[in-house]
Amino acid sequence: MLKEFLQNNIKIIDSVENWEEALRIGAESLVNNNNIEPRYVQAIIDNVHKYGPYIVLTDGVAMPHSRPEEGVLKKGMSFLKVRNGIDFPQTESKVYLFFTLAAENADGHQDAIAELAEFLGDDEKVEKIIKEDLTESEILALL
């Protein structure tokens, strides 16, 4: 299910000015595909300012998300890789990979989350996606 979500929702860029810009760019395909309303992205940014970096899952990886009622129209996920990484508030290492989640309820995305958790448990694969210049299909093959 993770690969289905990310098919045609992968973006790779060199750098961003700040983490807020990374969240906006990472969520663009979800907005364009009507998975989320633009206010959902702002809700994530506001929540990080309010609660801290709850979206940073592990070194180098974040899963931006917010509550469904803050603008989710249908479930989906997008992926952004920032080659140079970006500093994130209250964290010690840069974030390179952003898996933006749009969950319309508490249940519909569990399979994708389980697959993402399995991927994040494989340090070698995470490191490969962060450090190597991979294509979209090569990234999908690793997930």
Side-chain angles (χ1 to χ4, degrees), residues 14-62:
D14 288 331
S15 61
V16 290
E17 277 199 33
N18 53 50
W19 63 269
E20 291 98 330
E21 183 182 15
L23 297 189
R24 288 188 184 97
I25 293 171
E28 278 178 353
S29 66
L30 295 175
V31 172
N32 293 338
N33 293 330
N34 293 316
N35 293 94
I36 58 172
E37 299 171 17
R39 69 183 177 102
Y40 183 74
V41 181
Q42 189 58 51
I44 297 169
I45 292 169
D46 292 346
N47 287 337
V48 171
H49 282 291
K50 187 174 182 180
Y51 301 113
Y54 71 95
I55 63 173
V56 178
L57 302 178
T58 187
D59 287 348
V61 182

Side-chain angles (χ1 to χ4, degrees), residues 122-133:
D122 188 329
D123 293 341
E124 191 173 307
K125 286 183 178 179
V126 173
E127 191 82 5
K128 186 174 180 78
I129 291 180
I130 288 174
K131 290 189 172 177
E132 294 185 17
D133 195 20

Side-chain angles (χ1 to χ4, degrees), residues 2 5-8 10 13 16 36 39 42 47 51 91 93 95 98 100 114 122 130 134-135:
L2 181 60
F5 279 157
L6 295 180
Q7 188 79 39
N8 300 318
I10 291 179
I13 61 175
V16 290
I36 58 172
R39 69 183 177 102
Q42 189 58 51
N47 287 337
Y51 301 113
T91 61
S93 59
V95 174
F98 295 83
T100 303
D122 188 329
I130 288 174
L134 303 175
T135 65

